[in-house]
Amino acid sequence: MGLLDAGPLLEARLKALCPAAGDNIFATADLAGVREKAQVTPALHLVLHSYKPLSDDEGSSSRWQETWLAIAVVRNARQNVGAQAVRDEAPALLAEAMAALDGWHCPGTVGLVRAIAPPPPLITDGFGYFPLAFAVQTVTVGCEDE
């Protein structure tokens, strides 16, 4: 498996196991050009947060940790009445995403997908963004020349 190849597998798993989001599970490419006020909610957004090498043992392969965010996106139907209304929508999405990904063995990866500390939630003009973060490890093969 190549670097970042886990993304489509994580997205497919969320689509299969997160009924609270319905058909509203989107990857980064799906979100290009979408304005905040026009976005579909409730939804789960799967986006790459970061990646870093974990080992460099002078071999031709490297182990990497990819961090993927599954972000529960909810809308406050009662615009501008405070943050509580958007927080009330997120728990079902977060619970399903956690159950779908944490501890799952994603094909082609090393070990299990693990929940890690996410960035803080964000509440904007009637929308709430509640991220979960998941670490996935992959091994890439480099140059075999000596």
Side-chain angles (χ1 to χ4, degrees):
M1 172 174 276
L3 192 61
L4 311 184
D5 286 346
L9 299 173
L10 296 169
E11 180 185 3
R13 179 121 172 130
L14 290 172
K15 285 181 177 182
L17 297 176
C18 296
D23 293 332
N24 302 330
I25 297 175
F26 306 109
T28 303
D30 302 322
L31 301 169
V34 174
R35 293 180 179 251
E36 184 178 43
K37 296 229 182 264
Q39 68 184 327
V40 176
T41 61
L44 284 171
H45 295 179
L46 181 70
V47 297
L48 177 68
H49 182 262
S50 63
Y51 54 95
K52 65 181 179 182
L54 295 177
S55 64
D56 185 10
D57 59 5
E58 298 184 26
S60 64
S61 63
S62 297
R63 182 179 272 202
W64 292 79
Q65 178 174 299
E66 302 171 14
T67 301
W68 292 88
L69 300 180
I71 306 166
V73 181
V74 295
R75 179 183 206 129
N76 181 355
R78 298 171 287 157
Q79 292 292 320
N80 301 319
V81 297
Q84 188 59 44
V86 291
R87 279 195 295 269
D88 290 345
E89 297 288 331
L93 293 168
L94 295 171
E96 288 178 358
M98 183 65 71
L101 298 181
D102 190 33
W104 176 54
H105 183 263
C106 180
T109 64
V110 177
L112 302 175
V113 176
R114 285 295 179 204
I116 59 173
L122 173 67
I123 298 191
T124 66
D125 215 9
F127 290 87
Y129 302 88
F130 298 87
L132 294 172
F134 297 95
V136 178
Q137 292 187 20
T138 58
V139 174
T140 59
V141 178
C143 180
E144 298 286 336
D145 292 343
E146 291 190 36

